[in-house]
Amino acid sequence: MSICVGLLPSTSDRDRTSEFHAIADFLRKSQVLGEPTIDSVNRGAAELHGQTGTATHEPSRAACQSDFSKRASQISFSIHQTSQLLANLKKLAKRTSMFENPAVEIQQLTSVIKQDITALSAAISDLQVLGATQNERVKSSKHSAEHLTMIVDTLKNRLMTMTKDFKDILTFHTENLKVHENRRQIFSASSLKDKANPFARQQPLSTPDPGASANPIPSSSPAPWASHLMPASSQLFHSSLTHRRRSIPDEASMSGQMQQQTVQDTFVQNRVATLQNVESTILELSNLFVQLATMVAQQTDVAIRIDENMDDTLSNVEGAQGQLHKYLTSISSNRWLIIKIFIVLLVLLLIFIVFVA
Amino acid sequence: MVLVGAVRDYLNRMLTDIPGMKVLILDAQTVGIISVAMSQSELLQKEVFLVEKVDAQSKDAMGHLKAVTFLRPTAENIQHLKRHLTNPKFGEYHLFFSNILKKAYIQILADSDEHDLVQQVQEFFADYFAIDPFHFTLNLSGNHLCMLPTVADSHNSQQACDRMLDGIAAVFLSLKKRPVIRYQRSSEIAQRLAQDSAKLMYEQESGLFDFRRTEVAPLLLVIDRRDDPVTPLLNQWTYQAMVHELLGIQDNRVDLTRLPKVPKDLQEVVLSSHQDAFFKSNMFENFGDLGANIKKLVDEFQQKAQSNQNIQSLEDMVKFVENYPEYRKQHGNVSKHVTMMTELSRIVDERQLMAISQIEQELACTAGQAAAFEAVWTQLNNEKTSDIDRLRIVMLYALRYERESPQTVEQLITHLRSWPSKYKPGLVHTLLRQAGFDKRTGDLYGNRDLFNKARNMARGLKGVENVYTQHQPLLAQTIESIMRGRLRDIDYPFVGNHFQQGRPQDVVVFIVGGTTYEEARTVHLLNATQTGTRVILGGSVVQNSSSFLNDLEEVQRFQ
């Protein structure tokens, strides 16, 4: 045995002494802090985060603590309000339609939020200073100091995430604006660069209205065949219609009929252009069909040749089958073969018994 | 020396790292765990002057001693420890636990450690009885629960299952391995145990089990005793197995108090393979060879005794005194084995075990229903046959010919009833219900597929070396298929999505419901020949025929 000890695999174990000591230390400390019966660590742990453990210790510190916490809660409340504003802003920015672009509202909200954020960050740094001075003044325990820094950190974190959100929304919004701009260029300006577009040469057919670039409504009603180029545009077309329907009573009450009239005119003109487009596409298509028909006619020859080849193959296979059949009948009556197979089987069996088993 | 070595390693680290005089505090289970691995004198060498049970109620305080506790992490033990810590008797406490300690328990202990006495808390995973290098057991109380469905006694069954899970986990932790797990599909408890262990090793304590990966993951195979009911029913003829069958071994100790004419110092003897060289070399020898070897041992001893007797000069005397402890030790050893041997041969004669065992082996190994029936019938009619032997041969017959000729089985059972017996007559039926043909997965008699049949036939042609040891336990076949990678996935599915690639280097076979020493011998021989694969066998208990029948009786009471 003693020889084997050296060769042993070292066995595994787990040392939980430190865990034990940690728990013991913790229990002891919480007992010192004036908790008479501690039966579970969970309660003790909760106490670590709550302020009861330190607050009951010293009244003066409690006052400072409460001042600190009041300010902290104020800051947190205003952060909450700002975040609500931010949500509003987000909702506005998400509106992709370019018609009722709430630019003014967005501007206002952005400035408000910006002010809020700067104010908040100032308040938080104030709070931090307050916490630090408090710590110095009232030689408070490590836990409470940790607690203060933790609160400040949380607030900072929240502010940080909020600022990040704000930035995201702004970038999203600018992106949105850029997309709108692009779209306007596609549908309003002469699109010479669109050579890849199969319908590009029909573009000159449509008469681009110089006023359309300024007016969002006609530019956003492209022909339906363009829908696969820009998936959003068909919805856009639809939404523009609904918008128009909705906006008629609105604008009738708000502004004069005149503007309404010009809008109607440009719209009709555009419809004419698109109809012309459709017509030309159909012509093109009919051309294609004629071409296809001639191609099919050319293929007939090849098809006939394939058919003949198939017939040949079939007859060959049948011949082969007949030959195989003949061979089968010839070997099925072969007595010698049967005997040979038996001999082979016997030899195999012998080998099996002698060597394998 | 794998398992025994692991436990000894743990003990060494536990005891040598703490200097000074120590007292070892143990519970009922860890006493056994330590006693099979280390002797009292070795403990004394490590300055352990007192061994005490954790629930012992002694009053006197001994502040100069350091308490080393080695306990299973159970609720009772924690309560006892709490009592110790609040009312300390010893100067320091070093707490060692044999398994994973729950967090709640640490909190209780920490809470009660008012006097700052606890120096360390460690988990040393020696939670199994390493009776042999490759054989461990758990000494599960209530082993019959392994045969009952879970619903019959769900609380106790859960406890038994937890204990087995702890044992398996400890074995793998001390081997520093994380296995892939397979189980026998037809057994409910094997499946449950396998799934529980997978959950423990891969989910709950995956950090603890995260050892360096080997190329081929080791294998844990959980099988059910009921798949091979024949092995525990057979008479054994190799030394260790025979002693267990006829006298009973408990934690490597044999109790001889009940026997007539036993000298006082031999009333309880230790049969441990790492403490007794003679036993180590002969534990797997059959009865005949064993007789010859004991003769040789006695001759040797006689020579030594003679040389000791002729003391003529002063030098001789000095030599004699020097050699005297060695001489005493050898004397004790020789008389132990001789006593055992005489006792065994007395029982063999008394119960006519030669004849009975031949019938048993034939029932287990060769087919031939008519001849077997004849032999069993005449043996039943023999006046001298004891009741347990009658029951056993009828059971073996029933297991073998349950399908082929059920009417002769019934005939034998009715005939068995006409003899007086302390066993209830329904046991044969209980056995068939528990471990009959439909319940078994493995090919117990080698008659399920053509290949095995042919192999059996070939073996019959070759002839057998020894009629009494021709039986090969089913486990041998199972392990062989594992080594060749041919164990069928349908019968022994994997748990989870961890699969075996290639031949495993380490195989732990856990038999729910108990191992036998015959299987331990098979495993040992396999390990001796196969250099590539190491097989470790474990079970809830170590069965012999009487304990197996007792379990069956318990099961019958439930039904």
Side-chain angles (χ1 to χ4, degrees):
Chain A
M1 182 55 224
S2 55
I3 311 155
C4 296
V5 172
L7 304 171
L8 278 177
S10 60
T11 43
S12 75
D13 62 333
R14 186 159 61 163
D15 192 346
R16 298 182 75 168
T17 319
S18 54
E19 203 176 327
F20 177 86
H21 282 314
I23 292 171
D25 278 353
F26 177 76
L27 286 173
R28 202 158 300 144
K29 208 169 283 171
S30 50
Q31 264 165 356
V32 168
L33 281 176
E35 190 79 358
T37 53
I38 290 156
D39 42 5
S40 80
V41 175
N42 294 342
R43 259 180 68 189
E47 183 188 281
L48 230 177
H49 297 292
Q51 293 156 337
T52 50
T54 45
T56 52
H57 212 55
E58 222 176 323
S60 69
R61 198 196 298 172
C64 301
Q65 200 84 4
S66 71
D67 182 34
F68 179 84
S69 65
K70 216 183 281 171
R71 287 179 67 168
S73 70
Q74 269 170 6
I75 289 173
S76 117
F77 181 66
S78 51
I79 285 180
H80 178 70
Q81 276 180 331
T82 319
S83 72
Q84 268 173 344
L85 283 179
L86 204 64
N88 268 341
L89 176 66
K90 199 172 185 177
K91 226 182 277 170
L92 281 175
K94 277 270 167 71
R95 278 189 206 164
T96 47
S97 87
M98 52 181 88
F99 314 112
E100 36 173 3
N101 204 344
V104 184
E105 285 172 56
I106 288 178
Q107 279 297 329
Q108 277 174 357
L109 268 177
T110 318
S111 61
V112 167
I113 289 172
K114 214 181 273 173
Q115 278 168 8
D116 274 4
I117 285 175
T118 44
L120 278 173
S121 68
I124 285 175
S125 53
D126 266 9
L127 190 71
Q128 200 169 8
V129 170
L130 178 74
T133 50
Q134 225 173 77
N135 267 347
E136 265 174 43
R137 196 155 30 103
V138 194
K139 293 257 191 263
S140 58
S141 73
K142 203 177 81 186
H143 286 302
S144 71
E146 251 171 40
H147 172 71
L148 293 183
T149 48
M150 196 136 73
I151 286 177
V152 172
D153 280 354
T154 350
L155 287 175
K156 267 187 193 164
N157 263 343
R158 276 178 64 186
L159 188 66
M160 191 84 101
T161 47
M162 210 178 62
T163 327
K164 212 170 144 234
D165 272 357
F166 180 51
K167 202 195 93 192
D168 282 352
I169 289 164
L170 283 183
T171 48
F172 177 77
H173 182 61
T174 46
E175 209 103 307
N176 233 356
L177 284 179
K178 221 180 275 171
V179 168
H180 284 199
E181 203 63 34
N182 273 349
R183 210 177 285 165
R184 256 177 227 172
Q185 270 172 11
I186 288 169
F187 296 112
S188 52
S190 68
S191 45
L192 283 171
K193 48 199 166 187
D194 283 15
K195 282 292 179 223
N197 192 334
F199 301 103
R201 59 200 156 93
Q202 289 155 10
Q203 286 285 0
L205 282 173
S206 69
T207 48
D209 198 333
S213 62
N215 201 338
I217 294 170
S219 72
S220 65
S221 57
W225 41 262
S227 68
H228 67 279
L229 294 173
M230 192 151 300
S233 66
S234 72
Q235 289 158 347
L236 223 124
F237 179 59
H238 181 70
S239 77
S240 83
L241 284 179
T242 51
H243 167 72
R244 205 159 56 81
R245 231 176 280 142
R246 191 155 43 93
S247 65
I248 286 168
D250 280 337
E251 290 181 39
S253 61
M254 283 167 68
S255 64
Q257 290 282 64
M258 278 301 287
Q259 200 187 347
Q260 177 67 32
Q261 197 59 44
T262 51
V263 165
Q264 285 269 346
D265 270 1
T266 46
F267 179 65
V268 166
Q269 274 172 11
N270 228 47
R271 281 303 271 279
V272 169
T274 51
L275 277 177
Q276 277 168 346
N277 268 353
V278 171
E279 208 182 310
S280 62
T281 328
I282 288 170
L283 260 177
E284 191 100 328
L285 269 180
S286 76
N287 262 343
L288 272 176
F289 272 114
V290 170
Q291 273 178 5
L292 207 69
T294 53
M295 273 164 84
V296 167
Q298 281 169 358
Q299 295 290 324
T300 17
D301 226 19
V302 181
I304 287 167
R305 232 179 289 153
I306 289 171
D307 210 26
E308 276 169 7
N309 281 340
M310 282 293 288
D311 279 347
D312 271 4
T313 319
L314 193 66
S315 64
N316 279 340
V317 167
E318 270 165 1
Q321 201 189 9
Q323 291 293 328
L324 276 176
H325 214 78
K326 240 186 267 169
Y327 184 63
L328 179 70
T329 46
S330 80
I331 59 164
S332 57
S333 57
N334 197 339
R335 207 165 289 173
W336 263 110
L337 191 78
I338 295 170
I339 293 169
K340 271 186 232 162
I341 288 174
F342 262 92
I343 288 171
V344 167
L345 276 180
L346 273 177
V347 168
L348 277 179
L349 194 68
L350 268 178
I351 289 171
F352 173 77
I353 288 171
V354 174
F355 294 107
V356 178
Chain B
M1 282 293 156
V2 186
L3 292 173
V4 181
V7 176
R8 288 178 65 91
D9 186 37
Y10 278 133
L11 279 175
N12 280 330
R13 279 161 56 194
M14 204 184 297
L15 297 175
T16 45
D17 288 351
I18 303 163
M21 295 197 285
K22 292 176 281 276
V23 54
L24 196 58
I25 298 179
L26 304 170
D27 66 15
Q29 293 243 358
T30 48
V31 162
I33 291 170
I34 289 184
S35 73
V36 295
M38 212 172 248
S39 64
Q40 184 88 43
S41 51
E42 279 175 292
L43 285 180
L44 204 60
Q45 276 173 7
K46 297 190 168 56
E47 295 180 283
V48 174
F49 293 106
L50 188 63
V51 177
E52 203 174 278
K53 285 280 188 69
V54 71
D55 48 357
Q57 302 275 355
S58 68
K59 296 280 187 293
D60 38 337
M62 287 171 275
H64 56 289
L65 288 179
K66 294 173 182 172
V68 178
T69 70
F70 183 56
L71 305 169
R72 300 204 64 243
T74 61
E76 294 160 41
N77 283 339
I78 298 295
Q79 286 310 316
H80 286 307
L81 266 185
K82 196 176 164 185
R83 195 168 49 76
H84 267 279
L85 289 177
T86 46
N87 192 9
K89 287 190 297 180
F90 303 108
E92 282 178 7
Y93 280 84
H94 299 262
L95 308 183
F96 293 90
F97 290 92
S98 69
N99 219 315
I100 298 161
L101 186 62
K102 278 186 208 151
K103 188 130 189 166
Y105 289 158
I106 298 187
Q107 281 165 15
I108 294 174
L109 289 177
D111 195 17
S112 52
D113 181 24
E114 291 160 11
H115 306 273
D116 244 339
L117 293 170
V118 177
Q119 301 296 317
Q120 51 180 336
V121 180
Q122 304 256 23
E123 288 169 358
F124 275 18
F125 306 104
D127 205 7
Y128 48 87
F129 296 78
I131 41 182
D132 284 320
F134 297 105
H135 186 195
F136 71 94
T137 179
L138 301 176
N139 284 348
L140 189 71
S141 57
N143 185 48
H144 63 278
L145 292 164
C146 297
M147 284 199 238
L148 287 169
T150 332
V151 285
D153 187 356
S154 61
H155 174 67
N156 284 334
S157 151
Q158 184 60 44
Q159 265 186 342
C161 210
D162 285 347
R163 177 67 187 99
M164 287 192 272
L165 179 62
D166 284 350
I168 291 174
V171 166
F172 279 100
L173 282 171
S174 52
L175 294 176
K176 286 187 136 179
K177 298 250 157 50
R178 172 154 66 179
V180 295
I181 302 167
R182 304 179 77 166
Y183 61 94
Q184 180 190 326
R185 187 192 282 281
S186 57
S187 161
E188 180 204 18
I189 185 142
Q191 180 178 7
R192 185 167 148 211
L193 193 56
Q195 278 164 356
D196 282 357
S197 355
K199 209 165 117 193
L200 180 79
M201 292 175 189
Y202 287 98
E203 287 169 28
Q204 291 166 357
E205 294 288 348
S206 56
L208 191 57
F209 277 91
D210 194 14
F211 301 116
R212 195 166 54 84
R213 300 259 164 82
T214 45
E215 242 171 74
V216 182
L219 173 71
L220 165 65
L221 176 67
V222 185
I223 54 179
D224 197 319
R225 176 75 270 162
R226 285 174 287 177
D227 209 35
D228 178 11
V230 168
T231 313
L233 285 174
L234 290 176
N235 253 313
Q236 301 299 326
W237 293 97
T238 54
Y239 193 20
Q240 190 185 28
M242 196 170 173
V243 170
H244 186 54
E245 174 68 34
L246 301 179
L247 302 171
I249 301 178
Q250 178 69 36
D251 296 347
N252 284 352
R253 274 162 216 279
V254 186
D255 187 11
L256 298 175
T257 40
R258 283 175 296 120
L259 308 176
K261 294 188 296 179
V262 172
K264 204 156 185 221
D265 56 335
L266 284 175
Q267 282 189 344
E268 196 182 46
V269 299
V270 177
L271 279 184
S272 167
S273 56
H274 71 269
Q275 287 171 20
D276 183 344
F278 178 79
F279 182 68
K280 190 184 176 188
S281 55
N282 286 291
M283 59 198 276
F284 300 122
E285 290 293 333
N286 70 43
F287 195 50
D289 296 340
L290 178 69
N293 285 346
I294 287 191
K295 171 91 173 42
K296 225 185 282 169
L297 183 74
V298 170
D299 283 347
E300 256 171 50
F301 180 67
Q302 234 164 13
Q303 240 171 11
K304 211 167 210 175
Q306 262 167 10
S307 73
N308 274 342
Q309 263 166 10
N310 49 7
I311 299 169
Q312 278 163 4
S313 64
L314 204 63
E315 254 172 58
D316 281 348
M317 270 162 84
V318 170
K319 217 157 138 198
F320 174 76
V321 171
E322 261 175 10
N323 287 336
Y324 190 70
E326 181 67 18
Y327 172 77
R328 279 298 301 174
K329 196 178 155 198
Q330 206 170 4
H331 172 78
N333 208 9
V334 169
S335 56
K336 174 173 87 182
H337 288 293
V338 170
T339 319
M340 206 88 79
M341 192 71 189
T342 37
E343 195 49 46
L344 290 180
S345 52
R346 185 183 66 79
I347 295 175
V348 167
D349 278 350
E350 196 179 277
R351 283 167 55 179
Q352 297 186 316
L353 288 182
M354 291 285 197
I356 289 169
S357 182
Q358 192 171 354
I359 295 173
E360 285 174 0
Q361 294 284 339
E362 239 131 67
L363 279 172
C365 300
T366 45
Q369 189 257 324
F373 179 73
E374 191 68 30
V376 171
W377 189 263
T378 42
Q379 195 61 46
L380 279 186
N381 282 332
N382 192 332
E383 289 284 336
K384 285 181 180 168
T385 315
S386 64
D387 53 354
I388 181 169
D389 292 329
R390 278 205 187 90
L391 181 65
R392 273 194 327 199
I393 51 176
V394 172
M395 276 181 168
L396 287 169
Y397 184 87
L399 283 171
R400 175 103 216 204
Y401 300 110
E402 160 196 18
R403 280 301 182 81
E404 277 179 48
S405 67
Q407 68 275 20
T408 54
V409 173
E410 284 305 319
Q411 208 176 334
L412 282 176
I413 292 171
T414 22
H415 191 64
L416 185 69
R417 271 170 220 249
S418 62
W419 294 91
S421 166
K422 70 175 173 138
Y423 294 102
K424 292 200 187 71
L427 273 187
V428 183
H429 285 295
T430 311
L431 176 67
L432 288 184
R433 253 201 310 279
Q434 284 290 330
F437 183 83
D438 308 319
K439 303 271 180 179
R440 296 197 299 261
T441 315
D443 194 1
L444 182 55
Y445 292 109
N447 53 7
R448 284 204 185 175
D449 67 42
L450 198 68
F451 184 73
N452 280 344
K453 264 188 197 166
R455 203 156 52 167
N456 263 14
M457 217 159 66
R459 200 176 284 152
L461 286 176
K462 241 189 263 173
V464 280
E465 267 176 44
N466 189 335
V467 197
Y468 300 112
T469 54
Q470 56 179 313
H471 174 252
Q472 278 270 333
L474 180 67
L475 186 71
Q477 243 183 69
T478 315
I479 292 175
E480 200 180 318
S481 7
I482 291 174
M483 285 176 173
R484 295 194 183 164
R486 280 200 317 220
L487 199 64
R488 294 205 298 177
D489 288 359
I490 308 158
D491 294 338
Y492 300 94
F494 290 92
V495 181
N497 48 3
H498 312 278
F499 293 103
Q500 189 90 52
Q501 278 122 19
R503 252 176 47 167
Q505 306 247 301
D506 284 276
V507 180
V508 175
V509 181
F510 188 84
I511 306 183
V512 183
T515 53
T516 63
Y517 279 112
E518 187 183 349
E519 282 155 345
R521 174 173 177 264
T522 313
V523 167
H524 176 88
L525 295 182
L526 270 171
N527 282 333
T529 54
Q530 287 275 345
T531 43
T533 313
R534 194 173 62 172
V535 185
I536 292 172
L537 177 71
S540 44
V541 292
V542 184
Q543 293 277 22
N544 60 12
S545 59
S546 53
S547 69
F548 188 63
L549 290 177
N550 284 341
D551 282 352
L552 276 178
E553 272 187 326
E554 288 288 328
V555 170
Q556 196 183 21
R557 275 201 310 133
F558 268 94
Q559 282 164 350

